[in-house]
Amino acid sequence: LFVDFSPPESKAQRFIDDSRDLILQPGAGLVGTVWQTGEVMWLADSADDPRGLRKALAERTGLRGSALLPVRYGGRTGGVLNFHSRRIRPPDKRLAQALNAIVTQVGEYLQRMEAEQAVRDSEARFRSLTDLSSDWYWEQDADFRFTQYVGRGVLGAGEVLGKTRWELL
């Protein structure tokens, strides 16, 4: 997935457009190397690195400096953020710290989204199991009002929800 933040019709935009169909594999190219190793890579001039898959494109568009940071979550690398510069830039400690803070936040967000999806999937499986039951399933709040009603009971959920059992008799 390529996401870009550059002005339209810029050389950076051309670099991104020409890279969209590139299939990145762990260990291949700069991004693949960072993905596989899980280590930050800062290149003052990416055109000098033999691992680059888009060196000619980088030279045509004038993008030279690169900072590649792995996005880690759940004990693995889930992506790589790749920042380019038109200037040849030696590593900058303060910028590296700022970028590291960004990828840490992105990793925490992705981990939270993955956990929320796992909960949604688990709830969906539970609902499908209760739907298969020939009986019925219900939940009640602290005031004994029905908050969930699923199954093949005599009453429909619309008649039950929000009421107590003795209100239904």
Side-chain angles (χ1 to χ4, degrees):
L1 168 66
F2 284 90
V3 179
D4 64 277
F5 302 99
S6 61
E9 306 302 322
S10 69
K11 290 183 177 185
Q13 184 63 46
R14 188 170 18 160
F15 181 88
I16 291 163
D17 291 342
D18 289 352
S19 299
R20 288 199 192 279
D21 295 330
L22 184 63
I23 308 262
L24 302 171
Q25 299 292 326
L30 301 176
V31 172
T33 300
V34 171
W35 189 298
Q36 187 174 47
T37 64
E39 295 177 9
V40 173
M41 182 186 297
W42 188 298
L43 301 169
D45 188 357
S46 57
D48 291 341
D49 196 298
R51 296 171 290 186
L53 297 177
R54 300 173 285 175
K55 285 171 48 170
L57 179 58
E59 288 175 7
R60 263 195 333 270
T61 57
L63 297 176
R64 303 299 291 264
S66 292
L68 298 96
L69 297 102
V71 178
R72 293 185 209 97
Y73 63 96
R76 68 183 189 282
T77 300
V80 175
L81 292 184
N82 188 356
F83 297 91
H84 292 285
S85 170
R86 287 189 202 113
R87 293 188 319 216
I88 294 175
R89 296 182 66 119
D92 180 291
K93 185 176 181 179
R94 286 185 22 208
L95 180 57
Q97 288 172 337
L99 293 174
N100 210 14
I102 291 169
V103 296
T104 299
Q105 292 293 315
V106 170
E108 289 173 2
Y109 171 78
L110 292 173
Q111 186 167 358
R112 186 172 54 249
M113 295 305 295
E114 196 173 79
E116 290 173 3
Q117 184 62 45
V119 168
R120 283 192 295 273
D121 293 346
S122 177
E123 288 174 349
R125 283 191 303 276
F126 177 74
R127 280 192 204 95
S128 70
L129 285 173
T130 58
D131 286 345
L132 292 173
S133 170
S134 61
D135 296 327
W136 51 292
Y137 168 84
W138 75 95
E139 291 180 15
Q140 293 174 300
D141 62 17
D143 296 322
F144 302 105
R145 298 195 179 282
F146 288 94
T147 58
Q148 187 171 2
Y149 179 87
V150 180
R152 296 181 180 96
V154 177
L155 301 173
E159 301 170 276
V160 173
L161 294 179
K163 297 180 181 169
T164 62
R165 184 175 53 85
W166 46 89
E167 290 176 317
L168 297 173
L169 296 176

